[in-house]
Amino acid sequence: MPDAGMAGTVPALKQVLAGIVGAAHVHEDDATRRLHSGDIWSEAKEPVALVVAPDNLDQLSRLMAALHEAGVAVAPRGAGMSYTSGYIPSVAGTVSLDMRRMNRVLDIRADDMVVTVEAGCTWVDLNNALAPLGLRAPFWGPMSGLTSTIGGGISQLNAMLGAGHYGTSSESVVAMSVVLADGRVLRTGARGPDGETPFYRHYGPDLAGLFAGDCGAFGIKAHISLRLIQAPAAEDYASFSFKTGEELMRAMAAMARAGVASEMCAFDPGLTKVRMQRASMSGDVKALGAVVTRQKSLLRGLWEAVKVAKAGRNFVDLESYPLHIIAEGRCAASVAHDMATARRLAADHGGTEIENTIAKVIRAMPFPPLNSVLGPGGERWIPIHGQVSLSQAPALFSALQALFAELAPEFERFGVRTGYLFSSMSTNALVLEPVMYWPDAKFPAHDAAMEPAHAARLPVQPANPAATAFVAATRKRVIAIFQRFGCGHFQIGRAYPYKDSRDQASWELLGAIKQVLDPKGAINPGCLGLDHRKG
């Protein structure tokens, strides 16, 4: 429960908020409050006081005005897939904003090639709405897009689908409508004669950029407009195996420079073994069905499914570094040219082509169930990522490997397994994402993400604070290596030392912006290192 100082105010505040959104959408039960007070990495020492779910921009504006008048801290939450404590309450009496009711695709303007959604819309719902029109956003989602929201994706930034050509989620943004701490609505971009039909991002300074990657610290995203492209007419897939991570890094960098892949996804031997252990027969059946329906004809789909089934799970050398790429374009000839370039670059860097099963499945099932939030034995899981320049990627990987080699005895002692996920961002960065699995008790966020039947099959791990403390310390050492290589980060939250990476002038500007937009420091206090609260 909230502390004694809040106890007298919570019933009155609840009544005010219920008057705006309806009593059914203000929650005070322990289970909901705990769910909104933790992510897949951490839980707050004290849960949020209330959880309130607005239905539209007007309700959100009125909520923020009421909370501002009450002097209450606010933490916006989308699907809750953070692993950097991005929406974890840091002060007593925080109210959690559950944005999932604001989930509509508001306006598809194919003639202007713009779509506007509410911030709680999921990536899968957006893609389902656009597909019949032969359209999509350039960046079209993270692999958690089954539940991850677009507002969360712009706040935290994303990698994966379309990122090899178009960069992260915010690079597809045209405009936003953002509710500020006092309830005012800030609208960005060139917005047409009525002010409500945004069509172009840049009109003077890029205000939309202030709210991209802000972890919800500057304002609450209500409406987001994304530019559209015609869905590619052709696509193809290829997979390659490399003997070392350094070879893989050089090959991925060469392919990124050439711009040949819309998506690149690679694993190290450790993560490959986890993935193979996690795979199930039911998952295989779903994947085959998705491969069939992905193709333009039933005959072609059945043939592709036969090839996938025949390859099975034995095509990947468990000691290798597999890379999976997808090329897409306006015609088969352009895709064939890109694939030929990718094959040449892979061979130039020691790669051997293998069955492209995983690459096909990534495209056929871009938004799989989120059952991977726990390991195959019910272990907790935490990724740490960095965006690194193409030239520095091999050296960064070597430095991370040296740290893991140094810690090998402790990994053994605490039962920690490690792995890597690698991907690319447009033509100028690679994403290196070390991950750690270890035995420890799960959080409500894990159960909320997984399919219930899958969650029921997993072993239940007991609390293991010693192992978690070791993982936390290792995480800090990994982040320190990223800092040494000048990396950038998505999903900064409270995990990455953003303030330390900024020069004084930049930090003073960010602080001044925070002061203007949120003078009481009430929105997500502590995120990005912006921890002042005044008034």
Side-chain angles (χ1 to χ4, degrees), residues 22 61 73 96 131 143 177 190 200 205 234 243 269 290-291 336 370 385 394 397 421 435 500 503:
S61 175
S96 174
M143 294 188 77
S177 297
Y200 192 66
K243 293 181 180 178
V291 169
L370 304 181
H385 73 271
F397 177 75
L421 173 66
V435 299
D500 294 343
D503 57 69

Side-chain angles (χ1 to χ4, degrees), residues 145-224:
L146 189 66
T147 61
S148 288
T149 65
I150 295 170
I154 305 304
S155 294
Q156 302 277 33
L157 303 184
N158 296 120
M160 199 54 199
L161 300 171
H165 284 167
Y166 302 104
T168 187
S169 47
S170 68
E171 294 174 70
S172 295
V173 169
V174 168
M176 293 190 232
S177 297
V178 180
V179 178
L180 303 182
D182 60 2
R184 289 178 297 161
V185 180
L186 181 152
R187 294 175 172 86
T188 76
R191 306 186 66 89
D194 60 357
E196 295 295 337
T197 51
F199 64 94
Y200 192 66
R201 175 166 174 161
H202 297 286
Y203 188 7
D206 182 17
L207 295 182
L210 292 176
F211 301 95
D214 72 333
C215 298
F218 286 156
I220 313 300
K221 294 163 189 66
H223 296 170
I224 298 167

Side-chain angles (χ1 to χ4, degrees), residues 331-356:
C331 65
S334 67
V335 171
H337 182 274
D338 284 345
M339 293 302 291
T341 302
R343 289 185 170 96
R344 175 177 57 79
L345 294 173
D348 288 347
H349 294 87
T352 301
E353 190 161 5
I354 58 176
E355 292 286 344
N356 60 6

